[in-house]
Amino acid sequence: ATQLIFVAPLITFTPIPTGTQNTLTPNANSLAFGCNNLLLLRDETVPAGTVFNPEESFTKTWKVANTGTCDWVYLYHLVFISGDDVGGRDPQRLGKVIEPGKWTQLSVNLRAPRAPGSYTAYWRFADQSGNAFGSTLGVSFEVRASSYP
């Protein structure tokens, strides 16, 4: 009689990464300039993906906290740092004092471009000398094709 010997192959499983890869989140303290720092608490208006008509005006507002150790004073302002030209380049002064640990709302007046598409722009808060600090504040929206000739 012939004897058969069956040898099972060795099967190994190698995990394959899927989904979103980890991205670095900056240390909030590294966003400070001197005693100034800002934390974005939430978008108050214009959630990402909001759709506007061509050339429609709107206001983007963020709720932010003073996470630094000094007061934000009257001449602090938003500074456009990058992205599409949707307005909001004229600095609007804070016009009040925000103590450390307190929050406020920052807004910028914008206008949707004429051409349909996706648009994104970014600002940072700055002291009276123009030194930007804190979280980047962004807006991302769509412009739909005009329905009139």
Side-chain angles (χ1 to χ4, degrees):
T2 305
Q3 192 176 24
L4 292 173
I5 300 175
F6 179 72
V7 178
L10 179 63
I11 299 174
T12 59
F13 294 97
T14 304
I16 299 172
T18 61
T20 305
Q21 298 295 314
N22 291 334
T23 56
L24 293 177
T25 301
N27 177 338
N29 293 329
S30 70
L31 300 174
F33 182 86
C35 63
N36 287 307
N37 208 350
L38 172 148
L39 175 67
L40 171 63
L41 297 176
R42 70 172 176 245
D43 289 326
E44 293 283 57
T45 63
V46 191
T50 299
V51 178
F52 291 102
N53 291 314
E55 299 183 308
E56 184 176 347
S57 295
F58 62 97
T59 300
K60 174 66 181 184
T61 301
W62 303 273
K63 183 176 182 178
V64 298
N66 180 348
T67 56
T69 58
C70 57
D71 291 347
W72 295 346
V73 295
Y74 300 92
L75 298 178
Y76 282 36
H77 57 281
L78 286 170
V79 176
F80 177 82
I81 57 167
S82 68
D84 297 304
D85 184 5
V86 294
R89 292 180 185 246
D90 297 327
Q92 295 181 3
R93 306 293 178 199
L94 181 60
K96 57 187 172 184
V97 174
I98 305 297
E99 298 171 356
K102 303 293 183 182
W103 64 268
T104 191
Q105 292 182 333
L106 301 176
S107 297
V108 62
N109 295 320
L110 304 172
R111 185 176 180 94
R114 181 178 296 179
S118 299
Y119 295 90
T120 303
Y122 300 99
W123 291 260
R124 287 186 76 198
F125 205 45
D127 64 18
Q128 64 271 22
S129 299
N131 300 303
F133 60 88
S135 301
T136 300
L137 307 175
V139 64
S140 180
F141 62 94
E142 306 287 325
V143 176
R144 75 173 120 218
S146 175
S147 58
Y148 55 88

